[in-house]
mmCIF file of all heavy atoms in Angstrom:
data_model
loop_
_atom_site.group_PDB
_atom_site.id
_atom_site.type_symbol
_atom_site.label_atom_id
_atom_site.label_comp_id
_atom_site.label_asym_id
_atom_site.label_seq_id
_atom_site.Cartn_x
_atom_site.Cartn_y
_atom_site.Cartn_z
ATOM 1 N N THR A 1 -55.844 -17.186 -34.642
ATOM 2 C CA THR A 1 -55.816 -16.715 -36.025
ATOM 3 C C THR A 1 -54.401 -16.298 -36.420
ATOM 4 O O THR A 1 -53.934 -16.612 -37.513
ATOM 5 C CB THR A 1 -56.780 -15.518 -36.214
ATOM 6 O OG1 THR A 1 -58.118 -15.934 -35.892
ATOM 7 C CG2 THR A 1 -56.755 -15.029 -37.652
ATOM 8 N N GLU A 2 -53.734 -15.580 -35.522
ATOM 9 C CA GLU A 2 -52.362 -15.156 -35.776
ATOM 10 C C GLU A 2 -51.442 -16.351 -35.921
ATOM 11 O O GLU A 2 -50.543 -16.393 -36.783
ATOM 12 C CB GLU A 2 -51.884 -14.263 -34.627
ATOM 13 C CG GLU A 2 -50.460 -13.746 -34.775
ATOM 14 C CD GLU A 2 -50.289 -12.724 -35.876
ATOM 15 O OE1 GLU A 2 -51.312 -12.209 -36.348
ATOM 16 O OE2 GLU A 2 -49.130 -12.446 -36.235
ATOM 17 N N ASN A 3 -51.645 -17.345 -35.077
ATOM 18 C CA ASN A 3 -50.793 -18.541 -35.131
ATOM 19 C C ASN A 3 -50.995 -19.296 -36.444
ATOM 20 O O ASN A 3 -50.031 -19.722 -37.081
ATOM 21 C CB ASN A 3 -51.158 -19.461 -33.950
ATOM 22 C CG ASN A 3 -50.241 -20.661 -33.864
ATOM 23 O OD1 ASN A 3 -49.052 -20.555 -33.621
ATOM 24 N ND2 ASN A 3 -50.797 -21.838 -34.087
ATOM 25 N N SER A 4 -52.223 -19.438 -36.863
ATOM 26 C CA SER A 4 -52.520 -20.115 -38.132
ATOM 27 C C SER A 4 -51.886 -19.376 -39.303
ATOM 28 O O SER A 4 -51.295 -19.974 -40.215
ATOM 29 C CB SER A 4 -54.018 -20.247 -38.356
ATOM 30 O OG SER A 4 -54.614 -21.062 -37.368
ATOM 31 N N ALA A 5 -52.010 -18.050 -39.294
ATOM 32 C CA ALA A 5 -51.436 -17.231 -40.364
ATOM 33 C C ALA A 5 -49.910 -17.392 -40.403
ATOM 34 O O ALA A 5 -49.315 -17.463 -41.496
ATOM 35 C CB ALA A 5 -51.822 -15.766 -40.178
ATOM 36 N N PHE A 6 -49.289 -17.442 -39.233
ATOM 37 C CA PHE A 6 -47.826 -17.577 -39.184
ATOM 38 C C PHE A 6 -47.368 -18.888 -39.829
ATOM 39 O O PHE A 6 -46.493 -18.891 -40.691
ATOM 40 C CB PHE A 6 -47.339 -17.527 -37.725
ATOM 41 C CG PHE A 6 -45.883 -17.802 -37.557
ATOM 42 C CD1 PHE A 6 -44.942 -16.814 -37.782
ATOM 43 C CD2 PHE A 6 -45.423 -19.094 -37.215
ATOM 44 C CE1 PHE A 6 -43.588 -17.079 -37.650
ATOM 45 C CE2 PHE A 6 -44.079 -19.358 -37.078
ATOM 46 C CZ PHE A 6 -43.157 -18.345 -37.284
ATOM 47 N N TRP A 7 -47.976 -19.991 -39.413
ATOM 48 C CA TRP A 7 -47.527 -21.274 -39.941
ATOM 49 C C TRP A 7 -47.936 -21.474 -41.389
ATOM 50 O O TRP A 7 -47.217 -22.133 -42.167
ATOM 51 C CB TRP A 7 -48.053 -22.422 -39.068
ATOM 52 C CG TRP A 7 -47.450 -22.413 -37.710
ATOM 53 C CD1 TRP A 7 -48.073 -22.145 -36.532
ATOM 54 C CD2 TRP A 7 -46.083 -22.682 -37.361
ATOM 55 N NE1 TRP A 7 -47.200 -22.207 -35.479
ATOM 56 C CE2 TRP A 7 -45.974 -22.542 -35.944
ATOM 57 C CE3 TRP A 7 -44.966 -22.994 -38.089
ATOM 58 C CZ2 TRP A 7 -44.767 -22.717 -35.274
ATOM 59 C CZ3 TRP A 7 -43.741 -23.179 -37.427
ATOM 60 C CH2 TRP A 7 -43.646 -23.048 -36.033
ATOM 61 N N ASN A 8 -49.046 -20.880 -41.810
ATOM 62 C CA ASN A 8 -49.466 -21.005 -43.210
ATOM 63 C C ASN A 8 -48.462 -20.342 -44.145
ATOM 64 O O ASN A 8 -48.271 -20.802 -45.279
ATOM 65 C CB ASN A 8 -50.849 -20.359 -43.416
ATOM 66 C CG ASN A 8 -51.965 -21.206 -42.848
ATOM 67 O OD1 ASN A 8 -51.802 -22.412 -42.606
ATOM 68 N ND2 ASN A 8 -53.113 -20.579 -42.563
ATOM 69 N N THR A 9 -47.843 -19.257 -43.682
ATOM 70 C CA THR A 9 -46.856 -18.565 -44.535
ATOM 71 C C THR A 9 -45.554 -19.352 -44.683
ATOM 72 O O THR A 9 -44.739 -19.015 -45.537
ATOM 73 C CB THR A 9 -46.515 -17.180 -43.969
ATOM 74 O OG1 THR A 9 -45.976 -17.316 -42.646
ATOM 75 C CG2 THR A 9 -47.773 -16.310 -43.898
ATOM 76 N N HIS A 10 -45.380 -20.374 -43.834
ATOM 77 C CA HIS A 10 -44.138 -21.148 -43.885
ATOM 78 C C HIS A 10 -44.346 -22.569 -44.391
ATOM 79 O O HIS A 10 -43.426 -23.387 -44.355
ATOM 80 C CB HIS A 10 -43.504 -21.188 -42.503
ATOM 81 C CG HIS A 10 -43.003 -19.857 -42.004
ATOM 82 N ND1 HIS A 10 -43.784 -19.003 -41.259
ATOM 83 C CD2 HIS A 10 -41.843 -19.212 -42.201
ATOM 84 C CE1 HIS A 10 -43.118 -17.905 -40.978
ATOM 85 N NE2 HIS A 10 -41.929 -18.016 -41.538
ATOM 86 N N GLU A 11 -45.568 -22.844 -44.844
ATOM 87 C CA GLU A 11 -45.810 -24.175 -45.386
ATOM 88 C C GLU A 11 -45.149 -24.352 -46.748
ATOM 89 O O GLU A 11 -45.023 -23.405 -47.509
ATOM 90 C CB GLU A 11 -47.330 -24.415 -45.529
ATOM 91 C CG GLU A 11 -48.036 -24.726 -44.228
ATOM 92 C CD GLU A 11 -49.493 -25.075 -44.454
ATOM 93 O OE1 GLU A 11 -49.964 -24.951 -45.595
ATOM 94 O OE2 GLU A 11 -50.156 -25.481 -43.490
ATOM 95 N N GLY A 12 -44.710 -25.581 -47.014
ATOM 96 C CA GLY A 12 -44.051 -25.855 -48.280
ATOM 97 C C GLY A 12 -43.389 -27.214 -48.279
ATOM 98 O O GLY A 12 -43.643 -28.043 -47.399
ATOM 99 N N VAL A 13 -42.528 -27.414 -49.225
ATOM 100 C CA VAL A 13 -41.843 -28.709 -49.372
ATOM 101 C C VAL A 13 -40.999 -29.003 -48.147
ATOM 102 O O VAL A 13 -40.980 -30.137 -47.638
ATOM 103 C CB VAL A 13 -40.952 -28.707 -50.639
ATOM 104 C CG1 VAL A 13 -40.153 -30.011 -50.714
ATOM 105 C CG2 VAL A 13 -41.806 -28.560 -51.882
ATOM 106 N N LEU A 14 -40.309 -27.993 -47.618
ATOM 107 C CA LEU A 14 -39.428 -28.207 -46.458
ATOM 108 C C LEU A 14 -40.225 -28.687 -45.249
ATOM 109 O O LEU A 14 -39.793 -29.588 -44.515
ATOM 110 C CB LEU A 14 -38.664 -26.941 -46.121
ATOM 111 C CG LEU A 14 -37.486 -26.575 -47.054
ATOM 112 C CD1 LEU A 14 -36.871 -25.270 -46.607
ATOM 113 C CD2 LEU A 14 -36.441 -27.680 -47.044
ATOM 114 N N SER A 15 -41.370 -28.076 -45.012
ATOM 115 C CA SER A 15 -42.176 -28.473 -43.854
ATOM 116 C C SER A 15 -42.698 -29.890 -44.021
ATOM 117 O O SER A 15 -42.779 -30.664 -43.051
ATOM 118 C CB SER A 15 -43.348 -27.504 -43.645
ATOM 119 O OG SER A 15 -44.211 -27.506 -44.770
ATOM 120 N N GLU A 16 -43.064 -30.264 -45.246
ATOM 121 C CA GLU A 16 -43.545 -31.630 -45.500
ATOM 122 C C GLU A 16 -42.420 -32.648 -45.300
ATOM 123 O O GLU A 16 -42.640 -33.697 -44.698
ATOM 124 C CB GLU A 16 -44.092 -31.727 -46.927
ATOM 125 C CG GLU A 16 -45.361 -30.904 -47.139
ATOM 126 C CD GLU A 16 -45.821 -30.939 -48.580
ATOM 127 O OE1 GLU A 16 -45.224 -31.680 -49.383
ATOM 128 O OE2 GLU A 16 -46.819 -30.243 -48.922
ATOM 129 N N VAL A 17 -41.244 -32.329 -45.817
ATOM 130 C CA VAL A 17 -40.104 -33.238 -45.637
ATOM 131 C C VAL A 17 -39.743 -33.350 -44.168
ATOM 132 O O VAL A 17 -39.464 -34.443 -43.655
ATOM 133 C CB VAL A 17 -38.882 -32.730 -46.436
ATOM 134 C CG1 VAL A 17 -37.629 -33.528 -46.112
ATOM 135 C CG2 VAL A 17 -39.173 -32.805 -47.932
ATOM 136 N N SER A 18 -39.738 -32.206 -43.465
ATOM 137 C CA SER A 18 -39.433 -32.211 -42.034
ATOM 138 C C SER A 18 -40.380 -33.084 -41.260
ATOM 139 O O SER A 18 -39.979 -33.838 -40.366
ATOM 140 C CB SER A 18 -39.466 -30.782 -41.488
ATOM 141 O OG SER A 18 -39.320 -30.746 -40.099
ATOM 142 N N ASP A 19 -41.675 -32.995 -41.586
ATOM 143 C CA ASP A 19 -42.694 -33.778 -40.918
ATOM 144 C C ASP A 19 -42.461 -35.262 -41.147
ATOM 145 O O ASP A 19 -42.583 -36.067 -40.216
ATOM 146 C CB ASP A 19 -44.069 -33.373 -41.415
ATOM 147 C CG ASP A 19 -45.201 -34.004 -40.602
ATOM 148 O OD1 ASP A 19 -45.318 -33.691 -39.413
ATOM 149 O OD2 ASP A 19 -45.947 -34.836 -41.156
ATOM 150 N N GLN A 20 -42.101 -35.634 -42.368
ATOM 151 C CA GLN A 20 -41.858 -37.037 -42.683
ATOM 152 C C GLN A 20 -40.614 -37.567 -42.006
ATOM 153 O O GLN A 20 -40.590 -38.675 -41.490
ATOM 154 C CB GLN A 20 -41.748 -37.224 -44.212
ATOM 155 C CG GLN A 20 -41.630 -38.663 -44.669
ATOM 156 C CD GLN A 20 -42.819 -39.482 -44.232
ATOM 157 O OE1 GLN A 20 -43.978 -39.120 -44.492
ATOM 158 N NE2 GLN A 20 -42.586 -40.585 -43.547
ATOM 159 N N VAL A 21 -39.570 -36.735 -41.965
ATOM 160 C CA VAL A 21 -38.327 -37.135 -41.311
ATOM 161 C C VAL A 21 -38.567 -37.328 -39.819
ATOM 162 O O VAL A 21 -38.107 -38.312 -39.209
ATOM 163 C CB VAL A 21 -37.226 -36.083 -41.541
ATOM 164 C CG1 VAL A 21 -36.027 -36.351 -40.628
ATOM 165 C CG2 VAL A 21 -36.787 -36.092 -43.005
ATOM 166 N N ASN A 22 -39.307 -36.392 -39.187
ATOM 167 C CA ASN A 22 -39.601 -36.506 -37.766
ATOM 168 C C ASN A 22 -40.444 -37.720 -37.476
ATOM 169 O O ASN A 22 -40.227 -38.421 -36.470
ATOM 170 C CB ASN A 22 -40.327 -35.243 -37.305
ATOM 171 C CG ASN A 22 -40.413 -35.118 -35.802
ATOM 172 O OD1 ASN A 22 -39.566 -35.636 -35.075
ATOM 173 N ND2 ASN A 22 -41.439 -34.434 -35.321
ATOM 174 N N ASP A 23 -41.397 -38.006 -38.359
ATOM 175 C CA ASP A 23 -42.234 -39.193 -38.204
ATOM 176 C C ASP A 23 -41.407 -40.467 -38.236
ATOM 177 O O ASP A 23 -41.566 -41.355 -37.404
ATOM 178 C CB ASP A 23 -43.291 -39.209 -39.318
ATOM 179 C CG ASP A 23 -44.284 -40.361 -39.153
ATOM 180 O OD1 ASP A 23 -45.087 -40.302 -38.206
ATOM 181 O OD2 ASP A 23 -44.245 -41.312 -39.953
ATOM 182 N N THR A 24 -40.486 -40.538 -39.202
ATOM 183 C CA THR A 24 -39.608 -41.690 -39.335
ATOM 184 C C THR A 24 -38.677 -41.821 -38.138
ATOM 185 O O THR A 24 -38.461 -42.926 -37.599
ATOM 186 C CB THR A 24 -38.768 -41.602 -40.623
ATOM 187 O OG1 THR A 24 -39.654 -41.487 -41.742
ATOM 188 C CG2 THR A 24 -37.885 -42.818 -40.789
ATOM 189 N N TYR A 25 -38.139 -40.701 -37.685
ATOM 190 C CA TYR A 25 -37.232 -40.667 -36.528
ATOM 191 C C TYR A 25 -37.914 -41.205 -35.286
ATOM 192 O O TYR A 25 -37.371 -42.040 -34.555
ATOM 193 C CB TYR A 25 -36.733 -39.252 -36.315
ATOM 194 C CG TYR A 25 -36.055 -39.032 -34.976
ATOM 195 C CD1 TYR A 25 -34.742 -39.447 -34.766
ATOM 196 C CD2 TYR A 25 -36.731 -38.413 -33.931
ATOM 197 C CE1 TYR A 25 -34.119 -39.241 -33.536
ATOM 198 C CE2 TYR A 25 -36.114 -38.203 -32.713
ATOM 199 C CZ TYR A 25 -34.802 -38.619 -32.510
ATOM 200 O OH TYR A 25 -34.204 -38.431 -31.306
ATOM 201 N N LEU A 26 -39.131 -40.725 -35.026
ATOM 202 C CA LEU A 26 -39.865 -41.141 -33.829
ATOM 203 C C LEU A 26 -40.195 -42.643 -33.877
ATOM 204 O O LEU A 26 -40.069 -43.350 -32.870
ATOM 205 C CB LEU A 26 -41.136 -40.322 -33.652
ATOM 206 C CG LEU A 26 -40.923 -38.832 -33.342
ATOM 207 C CD1 LEU A 26 -42.252 -38.092 -33.348
ATOM 208 C CD2 LEU A 26 -40.242 -38.662 -31.972
ATOM 209 N N LYS A 27 -40.612 -43.106 -35.038
ATOM 210 C CA LYS A 27 -40.943 -44.524 -35.172
ATOM 211 C C LYS A 27 -39.699 -45.393 -35.002
ATOM 212 O O LYS A 27 -39.765 -46.474 -34.400
ATOM 213 C CB LYS A 27 -41.588 -44.784 -36.531
ATOM 214 C CG LYS A 27 -43.005 -44.216 -36.625
ATOM 215 C CD LYS A 27 -43.623 -44.441 -38.009
ATOM 216 C CE LYS A 27 -45.043 -43.903 -38.077
ATOM 217 N NZ LYS A 27 -45.612 -44.034 -39.424
ATOM 218 N N ALA A 28 -38.558 -44.917 -35.503
ATOM 219 C CA ALA A 28 -37.324 -45.685 -35.376
ATOM 220 C C ALA A 28 -36.867 -45.793 -33.924
ATOM 221 O O ALA A 28 -36.135 -46.704 -33.550
ATOM 222 C CB ALA A 28 -36.221 -45.023 -36.222
ATOM 223 N N ASN A 29 -37.318 -44.842 -33.089
ATOM 224 C CA ASN A 29 -36.950 -44.832 -31.689
ATOM 225 C C ASN A 29 -38.048 -45.342 -30.772
ATOM 226 O O ASN A 29 -38.102 -45.029 -29.587
ATOM 227 C CB ASN A 29 -36.522 -43.427 -31.260
ATOM 228 C CG ASN A 29 -35.131 -43.070 -31.745
ATOM 229 O OD1 ASN A 29 -34.131 -43.501 -31.184
ATOM 230 N ND2 ASN A 29 -35.065 -42.293 -32.811
ATOM 231 N N GLY A 30 -38.937 -46.149 -31.345
ATOM 232 C CA GLY A 30 -39.915 -46.864 -30.516
ATOM 233 C C GLY A 30 -41.233 -46.180 -30.327
ATOM 234 O O GLY A 30 -42.092 -46.720 -29.604
ATOM 235 N N GLN A 31 -41.462 -44.993 -30.892
ATOM 236 C CA GLN A 31 -42.751 -44.313 -30.781
ATOM 237 C C GLN A 31 -43.549 -44.652 -32.040
ATOM 238 O O GLN A 31 -43.465 -43.964 -33.051
ATOM 239 C CB GLN A 31 -42.564 -42.809 -30.638
ATOM 240 C CG GLN A 31 -41.832 -42.443 -29.346
ATOM 241 C CD GLN A 31 -41.859 -40.964 -29.073
ATOM 242 O OE1 GLN A 31 -42.907 -40.354 -28.906
ATOM 243 N NE2 GLN A 31 -40.691 -40.364 -29.011
ATOM 244 N N SER A 32 -44.313 -45.739 -31.948
ATOM 245 C CA SER A 32 -44.978 -46.309 -33.125
ATOM 246 C C SER A 32 -45.965 -45.333 -33.769
ATOM 247 O O SER A 32 -46.269 -45.476 -34.957
ATOM 248 C CB SER A 32 -45.710 -47.597 -32.720
ATOM 249 O OG SER A 32 -46.653 -47.332 -31.704
ATOM 250 N N ASP A 33 -46.461 -44.362 -33.016
ATOM 251 C CA ASP A 33 -47.420 -43.400 -33.597
ATOM 252 C C ASP A 33 -46.744 -42.280 -34.376
ATOM 253 O O ASP A 33 -47.424 -41.472 -34.995
ATOM 254 C CB ASP A 33 -48.291 -42.784 -32.494
ATOM 255 C CG ASP A 33 -49.222 -43.796 -31.862
ATOM 256 O OD1 ASP A 33 -49.853 -44.563 -32.616
ATOM 257 O OD2 ASP A 33 -49.308 -43.861 -30.633
ATOM 258 N N GLY A 34 -45.425 -42.246 -34.340
ATOM 259 C CA GLY A 34 -44.711 -41.192 -35.079
ATOM 260 C C GLY A 34 -45.121 -39.827 -34.613
ATOM 261 O O GLY A 34 -45.255 -39.543 -33.423
#
């Protein structure tokens, strides 16, 4: 519960962009599942 509350307070545009960038980075380096 504490962990969920922590990450929920930091959700936003930056976290979404970060997730997309990381996904693209992993796929570009051969990890097809991102």
Side-chain angles (χ1 to χ4, degrees):
T1 300
E2 179 71 15
N3 185 65
S4 296
F6 174 82
W7 293 111
N8 287 339
T9 60
H10 293 92
E11 283 185 352
V13 175
L14 284 178
S15 61
E16 293 176 5
V17 171
S18 173
D19 189 65
Q20 186 58 53
V21 169
N22 193 26
D23 185 70
T24 302
Y25 166 78
L26 293 173
K27 289 178 179 177
N29 283 283
Q31 297 190 61
S32 59
D33 292 315

